[in-house]
Amino acid sequence: MNRVVRSAARGISRLTDAPLGPYQSAVVRIGFAATWLLFLLREFPHRQEMYGPDGPWSWDLARQLVAGNHAFTVLLWSDSQVWFQAVYFLALLSSALLLVGWRTRTMSVLFMVGVLSLENRSVFMGDGGDNVLHLMSIYLVFTRCGQVWSLDERRARRARAGDERLRPDRVGPALWGVLGCVLALATVAGRMSGGWLTLFWGLWAVQALWWYVARRAPHAEPRILLDIVANLVHNAALLMIMAEACLIYSTAGWYKIQGSRWQDGTAVYYPLHLDAFSPWPALSDLLSSHGVMVLLVTYATVVAQVAFPFTLFNRRVKNVLLAFLMTEHLVIAVVLGLPFFSLTMIAADAVFLPTSFLRRLGGWTARVRRRAVAALVRRERPGGPQPRAEEAADSAQADPTQVGSAV
């Protein structure tokens, strides 16, 4: 009995003491933010046709659809061009800032608003990758995804070190205050109601409470309680991201098993010969000309997707299948011309990457950055030494084991 109690106590302590998977949540944040940012930049010349008020899927048609499914989108608050451009640029800006981890809590909410607003405005413009991004943008709001590899983590590390050059934070409270005013105006104007109104006001109130407690009693029991609750919410959201990825693969795999083309091993052949998915016809012909390769890839895809959720209990097998699935998505991006679908799935898969691999990746990236900065300094100052401050900053940034608090 005592052994059971001790095991339960250790489990509860592990779930409440710290957010699990700080590196995994950070790479998921970076992956989805980068994917959405690249998509918005690529479609920038075509944004009017896809999401504009005068596009083929008109503003009135979108409003009728949203009135039935109650989807959230701020683009239907107004049919003016100024409002549309503002929302599109807000989506671009929030994606870039979430990518670098600046004011992560605020940017994750604005990122979700941008994703939901654009995708729900024109639901027929996307594909399966959009559905995944749609869900993951909501889950990211509840994670502490700025623990590592973010400007927030860098600021927290400098604050703990007592950096005298670090000024009191006025940007964060001012930003949240402005967003509170916008939310109040939207509430008074009747633009939001029901669950979404409760969600946004709840997020705003929690952030205000967090700031007040951190300012007045940073080491007292209320702050400790808030940390425990935040860790529980983070761990639950991370579990939801994992469950979503497993559900996607298992559903896709079991449906493939029922298809006759997947059963006879020829399913991969047909997409390679669709004009809409053949950006490199010569490459598609080369891959489809080998019958044995088509057969092996077809069966391997089904086996990997069906088996992946069950391999989470065996780390080595899971890592092998994870590498196969990521490689397959890279091939899909190139051969079938679906880069953003593939990047979305790779970002979702990244939640299962081993921590040791991510730490090595962070250390390698830091070394490359340090060498690039040193080379730039030598080019600007021939024969001159690199500034000590830069060396100290690079040395601290290069340590991938540093885990800061989410800000």
Side-chain angles (χ1 to χ4, degrees), residues 139-196:
Y139 297 148
L140 275 177
V141 172
F142 301 98
T143 64
R144 306 183 74 174
C145 53
Q147 292 271 294
V148 295
W149 299 340
S150 68
L151 295 180
D152 288 347
E153 186 269 337
R154 180 185 179 186
R155 180 182 177 85
R157 187 175 63 245
R158 290 173 60 189
R160 290 195 302 272
D163 193 338
E164 297 179 355
R165 297 171 298 175
L166 192 64
R167 299 178 180 179
D169 182 21
R170 295 186 178 90
V171 177
L175 180 60
W176 212 254
V178 170
L179 293 177
C181 293
V182 173
L183 186 57
L185 290 174
T187 303
V188 172
R191 299 299 184 182
M192 287 192 298
S193 61
W196 288 109

Side-chain angles (χ1 to χ4, degrees), residues 9 18 88 104 122 132 171 194 200-201 210 250 315 354 367 390:
Y88 198 92
T104 310
S122 301
V132 176
V171 177
F200 285 116
W201 273 118
W210 188 282
S250 61
R315 184 175 302 177
R367 286 193 296 271
E390 186 68 26

Side-chain angles (χ1 to χ4, degrees), residues 194-207:
W196 288 109
L197 187 63
T198 303
L199 172 65
F200 285 116
W201 273 118
L203 292 173
W204 190 90
V206 167
Q207 179 62 17

Side-chain angles (χ1 to χ4, degrees), residues 35 110 191 254 277 281 290 308 338 394:
T35 300
L110 294 180
R191 299 299 184 182
W254 286 106
F277 299 100
H290 297 80
F308 181 74
L338 295 171
D394 289 337

